[in-house]
Every structure is written in C-alpha cells, then in structure tokens.
C-alpha cells in the first residue's frame, strides 16, 4: 500500500470518514500529510485532509446541529423532490452542483436559490483535477453558476471525491472561495445503497437499512456536515424519514454561512 493509500485508510478507519462519490481510495493521491484526531463531534476536523475536513472558519462547532449538503446535481429526477422534503422540515441545505449537470437544469438551480438554500460549486468536471486543470475548472463553474443566478452564488466549494490539496486550497482562495474546500464529517454513503454491488463501506447490519444507518451515524457523531447526493433516488425516497427521526432525537438543521 502506498503511503498516500495508508493515510487514506487511516482517515477512513480512524476518523469515520469515507470518500464520497464512489472514489476508490487506492486511486486517490493528494499532497498533504494529516494525523488522526478527535472527531466525536467533528466539525472541527483540523486533522483531516484538505477537501475532506470542515474548515474551522465556518464556525460550525455547535453540537447537535446538522448541516445538510447534497452533491453532484442538479438532477431533473430528484432535486425538486428533495427540496419538497426540506421545505416540509424547514431545513436549509447546501447544494454543491456539478458543472456537467447545469445545462438544461438552470430553472432548478434558480429554484434552489429562491427557496433559501445555498447554491454552491462542485467543480466544472467531476474528476480529480490535475493542478493544470484545476483553476479553469473552478472559474468556469463559478462563472456558470453566477450566470444562471444573475448574481454571485455563495462562495462555497467542495472537491469531487474530497480530493483537495494545499496547492488547490490556494487556488480556491484566489478564485474567491475564502474557506477553501468544504468537507464533511457525516457520510451517508447513499451511493453504496443504490446498486446491487456490495459496498463494504456500509456495515452488514445496515446494508438494507439506509435510514437506520444514517441515523446511527448522526447519533455517533452528534452534529456536523452531512453528505448526501441529490442524484441518488434512495436519498430522495428516504430523506423525509431520516429528517423525521433526527428531529425526534432533538437535532436541528443549520445553514452554512452564505459567503
Ligand atoms: Zn461528487
């Protein structure tokens, strides 16, 4: 196992973090060192790698609050369904939209913004960008979202696969994203539940219980940034049950700062 792969395994096992978006950790290389740390109430993930960690600058340390985030959309099939559920629960959310899915879905993006959610960037292409590609992928997506909204979108950015680096963080800040990459500490692993293929990231006891798995992770971590994907039907179908159970446990849903 390469050193970078060992690091990722340590992050995955030690911090309870996993890479979203079906990344294979063995293929994921980044430039930074990290150490294990306490993520019990983990939004202050100072030890996690850039891209995966939640920036301390967001000041989300309040326990018991969850910040709902949805990556990879917009989805003509699911994003509006998810918005309906969020409205029912009066829950704000952040949508990290992928540049490849903007064309044809512009009205959805404007509806997300009009509903009070954050329209945020998930890079122009859903790949692990090279350093050569990265600046263009950031600015192209930034400008595309601004054009759709007719105004600057909130300057929040999430790396595909959480694949950040110190060099990319510098590019992000120079491109107008003051916090760098916005990571997560609660991974729903929704993409693991959507196919017949076995996903060994989900404990066997929860393989047929997506709602139970997400609620158990919420209870284990107690608060923070929760990662979903609005391209996943299982999330659209089960979000209402998840939020209902979390409300029953006394949790609240917060909005990320609007940059
Ligand atoms: Zn993604």
């Amino acid at each position: 196992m390469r050193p970078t792969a060992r690091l990722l395994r340590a992050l995955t096992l030690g911090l309870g973090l996993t890479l979203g978006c079906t990344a294979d950790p063995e293929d994921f290389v980044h430039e930074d060192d990290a150490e294990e740390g306490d993520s019990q109430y983990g939004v202050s993930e100072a030890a996690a790698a850039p891209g995966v960690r939640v920036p301390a600058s967001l000041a989300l340390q309040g326990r018991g609050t969850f910040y709902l985030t949805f990556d990879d959309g917009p989805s003509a099939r699911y994003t509006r369904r998810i918005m309906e559920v969020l409205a029912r629960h009066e829950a704000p959310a952040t949508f990290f939209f992928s540049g490849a899915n903007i064309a044809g879905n512009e009205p959805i993006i404007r509806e997300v913004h009009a509903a009070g959610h954050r329209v945020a960037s998930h890079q122009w292409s859903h790949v692990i960008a090279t350093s050569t590609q990265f600046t263009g992928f950031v600015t192209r997506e930034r400008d595309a979202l601004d054009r759709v909204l007719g105004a600057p979108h909130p300057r929040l950015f999430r790396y595909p696969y959480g694949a950040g680096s110190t060099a990319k963080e510098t590019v992000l800040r120079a491109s107008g994203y003051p916090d760098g990459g916005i990571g997560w500490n609660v991974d729903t692993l929704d993409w693991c539940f959507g196919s017949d293929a076995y996903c060994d990231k989900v404990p066997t006891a929860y393989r047929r219980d997506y709602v139970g798995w997400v609620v158990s992770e919420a209870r284990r971590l107690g608060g923070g940034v929760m990662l979903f994907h609005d391209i996943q039907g299982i999330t659209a179908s089960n979000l209402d049950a998840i939020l209902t159970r979390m409300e029953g446990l006394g949790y609240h849903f917060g909005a990320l700062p609007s940059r």
Side-chain angles (χ1 to χ4, degrees), residues 189-210:
L189 297 174
D190 49 3
W191 53 271
C192 272
F193 289 83
S195 71
D196 295 331
Y198 176 64
C199 178
D200 63 5
K201 294 180 185 300
V202 178
T204 307
Y206 289 109
R207 281 196 56 203
R208 300 183 195 285
D209 183 12
Y210 175 56

Side-chain angles (χ1 to χ4, degrees), residues 21 71-72 122 126:
C21 317
D71 288 9
D72 294 4
H122 197 36
H126 201 283

Side-chain angles (χ1 to χ4, degrees), residues 39 90 92 109-110 125 170 203 226 233:
S39 64
E90 299 182 359
I109 296 172
R110 287 189 281 268
S125 293
T170 301
M226 185 172 269

Side-chain angles (χ1 to χ4, degrees), residues 7-18 36 220:
L7 166 62
L8 280 159
R9 184 62 51 87
L11 281 169
T12 302
L13 298 177
L15 293 176
L17 297 170
T18 52
E36 293 188 31
R220 183 173 72 84

Side-chain angles (χ1 to χ4, degrees), residues 11-20 37-49 51-56 58-71 96 158 162 181-189 213-228 246 251-252 254 256:
L11 281 169
T12 302
L13 298 177
L15 293 176
L17 297 170
T18 52
L19 298 170
D38 176 19
S39 64
Q40 181 70 32
Y41 293 101
V43 290
S44 55
E45 304 289 349
V52 177
R53 70 181 168 217
V54 178
L58 293 178
L60 305 182
Q61 283 80 1
R63 295 180 181 184
T65 296
F66 285 92
Y67 302 85
L68 308 177
T69 66
F70 297 86
D71 288 9
F96 291 94
R158 177 171 285 156
I182 312 297
W184 62 91
N185 65 307
V186 189
D187 192 340
T188 65
L189 297 174
W213 158 249
V214 175
V215 172
S216 75
E217 283 295 276
R219 295 182 71 167
R220 183 173 72 84
L221 292 158
V225 178
M226 185 172 269
L227 169 62
F228 294 94
M246 289 176 65
Y251 295 127
H252 302 283
L256 290 182

